[in-house]
Amino acid sequence: MLKRIYALISLILLTSVILSGIIAFKVIEEFNGNSNETKLKSAANLISVELQEHKSYEEITKLISTTFNSDNATLRFTIIETSGKVIYDNEVNASTMENHLYRAEVKAAIQTKSFAHAIRNSTTQNIKIYYYALYSKSNDLVIRTAMPMVDYLKSLNEIWIQFVIIVTFAFIALVIIGAFITNVVAKPLIDLKKAAIAMSDGDYSRRVARRFGDKTEISEVSNAFNKMAQQLQSVVYELAEKNSRLDTILNTMENPILAVDSSLSVTFMNKFTREEFVGDSFPESGIFPLISIVRNSEIERLVQRAAASQKAANAQISLVTRKGSKTFRVMAVPMSKENGQILDSNQNELFSNNNQNQTMLSGNVRDMEHSEFVRDLGLIVTFQDITQIIKLQQMRSDFVANVTHELKTPLTSIRGFVDTLRQGAIKNPDVSERFLEIIDVEAERLHKLISDILSLSEIEDLKEESEVSIFDLNSLMDEVIVLLDDEAVIKHVSLITAGDEEFKEPFLVKANRYRIKQILINLIENAIKYNIDHGKVYITASRNENGEVVLRVRDTGNGIPKEHLNRIFERFYRVDKGRSKELGGTGLGLSIVKHIAMLYGGNASASSTLGQGSEFTVNLKI
């Protein structure tokens, strides 16, 4: 705009100067013409007077030269009879000149008995000349004065050159002055333009400088601009803060969250959605079809149903994610903008499994409504991972069923033998003694089962170990071997520890001695039970490079099939159910070992080769 103003001002100045120059030049040109004509006329009258006084041609020539000739022009005069014969010419020999009767200016002067003038090429000199012819009645002659047009216009050309120079400098000076004045006047507009450009580039702190006492329209516009900029800056910062807070909330919620518009396109996904479903295969920003994210038509139908009914809809859906197969409770909640609510009455249910995030979200519902995030959404879709919940529910059901079954078996046996004794078998000493021994065995089995269940429940409820002490692990291992030695002798199994007992150095650890003893008893007892006749059990303890204690119990039994290795630490899981019951196992020993290891920040694992035996390894941070 300023360039246009500068150009317009320059054009106006240039036009004004040129028009003024043309008018002035016309005036000067007319003045110059009149001056030259007066000069020629005066010279002709002077010659006429001199001829009347009978002055010689030489005297007249000298007088005319002295009076009218100058550096710029030389005056030529010719004396002609009315017959056209040239009597005298101050520049050309008259005898050589043609008859001038039919020269335009001469002819007109004779006919009118007055004066005449003409501009034409001279036949004698072959140049363009301005002629003035005066008829002298007293002398009956035509006195003609002449001036070459070059001399006639010479002074005018000099004036024109000077005029052009003056006009050029004047124009430059006027342009500079005009530009300076325009710049001073337009500076507020320039500042306003720069501030507007800066704001369009994101610099909302930019303001237009205000001049004290300035009450012009531009000043008022600048003040209005500053107020608008202040309000815009406040709104933008507030929105940025709200969006940042909302983004933080959504990205810290440990569930995938999607925002879906009415066309079933995903307009927002939090980082957990990316981790579960898309990874780096989708750009950070953009709009994508819902089906391309979740790859499940059941979810798409769920969202459509929620959008159509404008009510929350949920379903339990199994999905294959980047982290494996999982089961989710998927909920689609439509947003209502008419009543200013983002979530409907089901919002509490939506976040019922994350109380902290629910509280944070409730405090920001209004903020979400005004954010850019919400304005583009139709529904919010959340995915609650219930894989572990279902697994735990199934494990609980299995546990209850197994406990019921395990308790029912010895109780049924005990009640059966008691009924038999009541019916008269108690009177037979041999039979009653055998039945009482069986009842005692079943009662012991029942006692051991209940003890293991209580022990496992206690371990699972512990968040950290208590009653820890420093003790010698080698000494504890020897104690357990002595405890199980009789059982090993019955099975003809040898229990072997690393190193010679006489040279064993103390292996000090800090833990609950009873828990570590439980691990050793369960592992060594199993190694004895499931070993072959005359088999061996190797027990070792060491520290690895991470400082963890590693307990290893290896047997030379028949081994465990590979498909059972991943499940043998589950409650009541048995590889050979018939043999396990025959050996009196409860099915909880290895599960107790695993949970004690977890209590100490470690883990339990097993490896086996059929026909060669099995090895159980427990890592403990003690």
Side-chain angles (χ1 to χ4, degrees), residues 370-597:
H370 298 291
S371 70
E372 194 65 32
F373 167 74
V374 169
R375 284 200 293 270
D376 293 337
L377 302 183
L379 301 98
I380 294 177
V381 183
T382 61
F383 297 77
Q384 181 187 350
D385 186 358
I386 58 174
T387 306
Q388 290 300 321
I389 296 175
I390 293 175
K391 186 177 180 180
L392 289 174
Q393 289 175 345
Q394 184 61 43
M395 289 176 64
R396 183 176 61 184
S397 299
D398 292 344
F399 178 74
V400 172
N402 286 325
V403 167
T404 302
H405 178 74
E406 293 294 335
L407 290 174
K408 184 178 180 180
T409 301
L411 286 174
T412 302
S413 178
I414 291 172
R415 291 191 63 183
F417 285 111
V418 169
D419 288 342
T420 303
L421 289 172
R422 283 177 176 174
Q423 293 174 5
I426 194 171
K427 296 178 180 180
N428 187 335
D430 294 335
V431 173
S432 62
E433 184 65 25
R434 184 166 59 85
F435 280 11
L436 288 173
E437 287 180 2
I438 294 174
I439 291 172
D440 184 54
V441 169
E442 292 297 337
E444 178 63 25
R445 178 182 171 190
L446 187 61
H447 177 267
K448 183 172 176 51
L449 176 62
I450 294 173
S451 296
D452 284 349
I453 291 173
L454 293 175
S455 179
L456 183 60
S457 177
E458 179 189 1
I459 295 169
E460 286 181 332
D461 288 341
L462 287 174
K463 296 187 181 297
E464 60 180 20
E465 187 57 280
S466 59
E467 299 181 7
V468 296
S469 61
I470 298 174
F471 60 91
D472 182 8
L473 183 58
N474 287 331
S475 175
L476 180 62
M477 289 169 60
D478 291 340
E479 182 181 325
V480 173
I481 289 172
V482 171
L483 181 65
L484 299 175
D485 189 57
D486 290 342
E487 187 176 343
V489 170
I490 295 172
K491 288 281 295 185
H492 304 100
V493 173
S494 301
L495 302 180
I496 305 169
T497 58
D500 193 320
E501 189 172 337
E502 295 182 4
F503 301 102
K504 258 184 209 176
E505 295 182 359
F507 192 152
L508 299 180
V509 295
K510 185 177 181 180
N512 185 317
R513 194 173 189 276
Y514 174 72
R515 302 290 185 208
I516 309 305
K517 186 176 182 179
Q518 279 184 293
I519 292 175
L520 291 171
I521 289 175
N522 284 321
L523 291 179
I524 297 173
E525 192 173 38
N526 278 353
I528 294 171
K529 286 179 181 179
Y530 298 103
N531 216 322
I532 60 173
D533 196 28
H534 297 289
K536 294 180 176 60
V537 176
Y538 298 91
I539 307 109
T540 60
S542 61
R543 283 196 185 274
N544 61 17
E545 61 275 9
N546 296 325
E548 297 176 338
V549 171
V550 181
L551 299 177
R552 287 188 176 88
V553 177
R554 180 169 62 86
D555 63 61
T556 57
N558 293 322
I560 303 170
K562 185 177 180 181
E563 61 270 18
H564 296 287
L565 288 175
N566 292 332
R567 299 194 60 190
I568 58 175
F569 289 98
E570 295 178 10
R571 299 176 181 87
F572 299 111
Y573 187 82
R574 293 183 176 92
V575 177
D576 187 344
K577 294 183 179 180
R579 189 182 179 201
S580 295
K581 289 182 179 180
E582 179 186 340
L583 295 173
T586 64
L588 295 175
L590 291 179
S591 183
I592 291 173
V593 169
K594 181 187 76 171
H595 282 84
I596 293 176

Side-chain angles (χ1 to χ4, degrees), residues 70-334:
S70 64
D71 294 336
N72 295 329
T74 300
L75 186 68
R76 177 186 175 191
F77 67 91
T78 307
I79 299 174
I80 306 167
E81 293 180 349
T82 55
S83 62
K85 180 181 179 181
V86 178
I87 301 175
Y88 179 78
D89 189 281
N90 65 337
E91 291 184 0
V92 182
N93 188 352
S95 61
T96 62
M97 297 177 66
E98 297 177 353
N99 188 290
H100 279 41
L101 181 63
Y102 296 102
R103 299 290 194 270
E105 68 282 358
V106 176
K107 184 178 178 181
I110 293 173
Q111 289 178 348
T112 59
K113 302 298 183 180
S114 179
F115 67 91
H117 55 80
I119 298 174
R120 59 179 179 80
N121 284 333
S122 171
T123 305
T124 306
Q125 295 179 324
N126 197 25
I127 57 174
K128 202 166 188 178
I129 296 178
Y130 184 93
Y131 294 101
Y132 179 86
L134 175 67
Y135 175 73
S136 176
K137 292 180 181 180
S138 57
N139 299 311
D140 193 27
L141 295 173
V142 175
I143 301 169
R144 189 183 70 177
T145 55
M147 180 185 294
M149 288 301 295
V150 174
D151 295 337
Y152 182 86
L153 297 175
K154 188 174 183 180
S155 59
L156 191 63
N157 289 337
E158 290 178 355
I159 293 172
W160 173 251
I161 292 172
Q162 293 176 2
F163 172 76
V164 169
I165 293 172
I166 293 171
V167 166
T168 301
F169 280 104
F171 175 72
I172 293 173
L174 288 173
V175 168
I176 293 173
I177 295 171
F180 175 75
I181 295 174
T182 302
N183 188 55
V184 171
V185 173
K187 189 177 185 304
L189 288 177
I190 296 173
D191 293 342
L192 191 62
K193 171 188 172 184
K194 290 180 179 178
I197 292 173
M199 287 189 65
S200 67
D201 292 336
D203 183 7
Y204 300 107
S205 62
R206 191 66 174 268
R207 299 292 183 270
V208 180
R210 299 171 57 185
R211 289 182 291 183
F212 181 75
D214 189 356
K215 296 182 180 181
T216 62
E217 288 80 358
I218 295 178
S219 177
E220 292 179 1
V221 171
S222 299
N223 294 338
F225 178 88
N226 288 340
K227 291 180 181 178
M228 178 191 70
Q230 181 64 41
Q231 294 173 356
L232 181 61
Q233 183 180 18
S234 299
V235 170
V236 169
Y237 284 173
E238 184 179 356
L239 284 176
E241 183 181 355
K242 290 178 179 179
N243 284 338
S244 176
R245 183 165 63 246
L246 177 61
D247 188 64
T248 300
I249 293 172
L250 293 175
N251 281 313
T252 53
M253 295 179 68
E254 297 180 357
N255 287 320
I257 298 177
L258 292 176
V260 183
D261 61 17
S262 57
S263 63
L264 296 186
S265 295
V266 176
T267 58
F268 171 83
M269 66 179 85
N270 67 347
K271 70 175 184 178
F272 291 100
T273 303
R274 291 187 172 277
E275 291 175 1
E276 288 285 358
F277 297 112
V278 299
D280 298 329
S281 57
F282 285 77
E284 288 293 332
S285 60
I287 299 176
F288 315 102
L290 175 62
I291 192 67
S292 68
I293 302 295
V294 297
R295 298 182 295 278
N296 186 283
S297 58
E298 190 175 351
I299 295 177
E300 197 172 40
R301 290 193 295 271
L302 176 71
V303 174
Q304 288 174 334
R305 187 166 69 252
S309 65
Q310 284 299 296
K311 292 183 179 179
N314 66 85
Q316 181 175 307
I317 301 174
S318 296
L319 296 173
V320 178
T321 71
R322 298 177 71 251
K323 297 180 180 180
S325 297
K326 292 186 177 182
T327 302
F328 293 94
R329 184 174 179 234
V330 183
M331 176 170 282
V333 182

